[in-house]
Structures are given as C-alpha cells and as structure tokens.
Amino acid sequence: MKGLIVGLVVVVCLLGWISMSSGHSEQFHRFPLHPRHFPQNHPSQYDAIVEKLRQKQSNPSNLQAESKHLRNTKAITHQGTNAEAYWSFDGKWFSFQGIFGPEGEAHPCDQIYIMTVNGTNVTRISDGEGRDTCSYFFPNGYEVLYSSTKAGGPWCPATPDMSYGYLWPIYDDMSMYKINLHTRQRVRLTSGRYNAETTISPDGTKIIFTSSRSGDLELYSMKLDGTNVRRLTYTPGYDGGAYYSFNSKMITWRASRPQGQALTDYLNLLNLGLVEPLSLQIYAANDDGSNPIQVTNFTNTVAFSPFFLPDDSGVIFSSNYGSATGMEFQLFIIKLDGTGLQQITYEGTFNSFPMFSPNGKQLAWESNRNTKSYSDLNVLVADWVN
C-alpha cells in the first residue's frame, strides 16, 4: 500500500494537477481527475525519484514493445501540461485542457482549448476564469461541453494540502457549460454541487457525468440540452470518469467501493469537499447503469481512465499495474470479462486519458515521455494496430 500511495502522489508531481487532467483527470476521467484539477504544490522529496524514473525513457526495446499496437506515435503539443484531449465527432479536432504559455503563467489552472488533430490552430475557448475541465465536442461540431468553477469566482480555486495525504477537491461550484464556437455564447447547463467528468455518447443523444447532488459521487445521464436527468449508479463510493461504448449501449467508468471504516472516512471527506482516490477499479454496465460488472480486480493497484476498444469487446485504461515502485502509469487493454490483460505503452512514467478516434484507427492519449520537465504532459497520437 505504501508504494501505491507514493505512486499516486507522484501522479500529482507528474501532472501538476488536481484529473483528472482535469483530468476526470482522473482527474483522473478522468483521474480528472476530478483528477484533472491538479495541485500546483507537490512534495519536493519525490522530485529526484520521478526525474530518475523519467530518464528511463526512449529505450529502443520499449518502442519495439509498443509497436505491437501503436505505430507512428507523435506528440502534437510541446509545452506545459495538456490533458484530456478528446476527438470531435468528425475526427478533425481535439478539445483539451491545458496550462501553458503566457496564459498559463497569468492564470495557472486548467483552461479549455481546441486544436486540429495535427496540433495546429490552438485556440483557448474558455474565458480564463476559474478552473476548467472535461471538455467534449457536441455532435454538431461547433459547440463544446466543459465544466468550470467560474460561477464561484474568476480566481483559481484552492487545492488540498497534500501534506495531509493525496486528496482531490470536489468543488460545489463546478458546473457544466456549453459554448458556441461561432458566437462564443456560453450556456450553463447545471448548478449546485459538483457536476463534471462529462462525455457524450457516439450516437449523439446523451451526456454522462458525475455529480455529488445526492450526497455521494454518482453517475448521471441527461439529454444534450440538460433535460431528462437520470441517476445511473447507487453503490456508495466514487463513481466517475465514464464513457459510452462505440455502439452507445454500454458505459465504462472508474469506481471505488469503500466499506466499513473506509466508507465512513470517504463520506466524512466528501462532506468537506474532498475525496481520497486510493482504490479505483474499472467497471462496465449497460448504458442505463443496469447489470454492472467489475472489469479489473487489482490489489494495491489503481486502474482509471477507461475507454472502450473499437469493437466494444473490452477497454483501454491507465494503471500502475506491475510497477515495482507504484510510480509508473502505463496504458493497458483488457476484455470485459477481466481476461486478456495486455500492456500497451512502455515509455514515460505517466500515460493516461486514452481515446480512440471515431473510426477506431487512431489512439490519442497524454504522456510525459520526452518532455522537458517531469511536470509537463503532452498529447500523443498514434495509429492503432489491432
């Protein structure tokens, strides 16, 4: 367990979050995450450890192992922290969150950007207020969904003191917005309590998100206009970072299932607007939340940020599974019945937020491989080989 806790703290060091990455994530998605709202402060005693691990990058044997499923891998961002890059429905654009350049120095918490799939035409679309996360293109291609704390004030919201442990903040003023890229008009879709970790079904009919409106962090769905809200999960614990399958008939997400004193501690922290994500596993269910199954069942290992494989037979996800130190997070794939576990990435010490292109031929994710600083995170794109 010590290695797991150290590994999770190092995730904070790697991302500079709180994840997601904004995550989720996710943060963690979102380990935004939500794992994606990363803290700017981090335990300095881990700096040297992380940097030493990072120097293991660019090993030819690692690249050879990755070539089984990934070809023509390239970074399309090259500075700062960039997380949760998600394809538009036509496969031509990414929306993502980032902290970089003069804007990042002036307002050092995540804002929402868009760019082409080649990394060009990078444009901030959020207004530079609050902390933003979890962006996603609408099917029409000219509106983007995201969450922000801007209703609580234009400043960067406070982040937890990591000296008390690895904690994610759950902001009550984190609300969902949609922005029209033509008119720049913003519409607020939710209010009250935490509402974030949003994605849209491939059939373009519904949004799935995480909310604390019930007193717990649960999954909900709604129509694209914010109506017909339905609760999907009911088991105590953190349910977040959900995605729909390619056929829009299933969902996958990360969840914790604390019991006994751990559940009491979880609820007490949640009442303070905090969550301690030390035990997350991957789940899947029908799109209405029925027939849930636990896909991963690791011990003292975190699994998060799942996304369905193009044929919906399993998921790709991020985990520190197999890491001797608990500090290295790589991408893995696994079938929905829990079999067929395979490691996909080997480079860098943090790889997460994977998402396949709409046609299933490419994979995008975020990694700190070959970055100038261990706290940097870039968007990578590769051709997917089945």
Side-chain angles (χ1 to χ4, degrees), residues 317-330:
F317 65 99
S318 180
S319 178
N320 59 349
Y321 178 84
S323 171
T325 62
M327 297 181 183
E328 297 173 81
F329 284 75
Q330 301 295 342

Side-chain angles (χ1 to χ4, degrees), residues 315-376:
V315 296
I316 186 169
F317 65 99
S318 180
S319 178
N320 59 349
Y321 178 84
S323 171
T325 62
M327 297 181 183
E328 297 173 81
F329 284 75
Q330 301 295 342
L331 298 182
F332 296 81
I333 60 173
I334 193 171
K335 294 180 180 178
L336 293 180
D337 63 4
T339 64
L341 180 67
Q342 295 183 52
Q343 186 170 339
I344 301 301
T345 61
Y346 293 82
E347 283 280 278
T349 56
F350 187 83
N351 295 267
S352 191
F353 308 123
M355 182 186 183
F356 286 102
S357 58
N359 63 11
K361 294 182 178 181
Q362 290 183 295
L363 181 73
W365 77 101
E366 283 73 61
S367 177
N368 70 333
R369 65 179 64 190
N370 302 320
T371 55
K372 296 178 181 178
S373 168
Y374 67 75
S375 61
D376 286 354

Side-chain angles (χ1 to χ4, degrees), residues 159-233:
T159 57
D161 184 346
M162 291 296 157
S163 65
Y164 292 99
Y166 180 55
L167 300 171
W168 292 344
I170 303 298
Y171 300 115
D172 275 350
D173 52 14
M174 180 68 79
S175 297
M176 277 185 270
Y177 296 82
K178 70 174 179 179
I179 180 172
N180 184 308
L181 299 181
H182 297 325
T183 66
R184 294 305 172 112
Q185 180 181 6
R186 290 176 179 81
V187 176
R188 189 175 180 181
L189 298 180
T190 61
S191 61
R193 307 306 295 267
Y194 174 85
N195 294 278
E197 307 177 39
T198 52
T199 59
I200 298 176
S201 60
D203 66 7
T205 63
K206 48 191 176 292
I207 296 170
I208 192 167
F209 63 100
T210 294
S211 178
S212 61
R213 62 187 63 189
S214 71
D216 193 8
L217 289 166
E218 302 289 359
L219 297 181
Y220 295 79
S221 68
M222 65 183 183
K223 291 183 178 180
L224 300 190
D225 62 1
T227 63
N228 196 30
V229 177
R230 296 183 177 181
R231 183 173 170 178
L232 305 181
T233 56

Side-chain angles (χ1 to χ4, degrees), residues 75-144:
I76 62 170
T77 61
H78 305 281
Q79 63 170 328
T81 60
N82 307 268
E84 295 189 63
Y86 300 125
W87 303 81
S88 60
F89 277 69
D90 62 7
K92 296 180 179 180
W93 293 83
F94 286 117
S95 63
F96 69 104
Q97 63 196 55
I99 307 174
F100 54 83
E103 292 176 345
E105 292 179 5
H107 190 79
C109 55
D110 290 301
Q111 293 294 298
I112 303 302
Y113 295 80
I114 60 172
M115 64 181 170
T116 68
V117 294
N118 294 319
T120 61
N121 296 335
V122 177
T123 304
R124 193 187 74 191
I125 62 171
S126 57
D127 57 11
E129 297 183 353
R131 184 182 297 279
D132 303 333
T133 187
C134 314
S135 62
Y136 220 86
F137 270 94
F138 278 84
N140 60 27
Y142 62 83
E143 291 180 309
V144 175

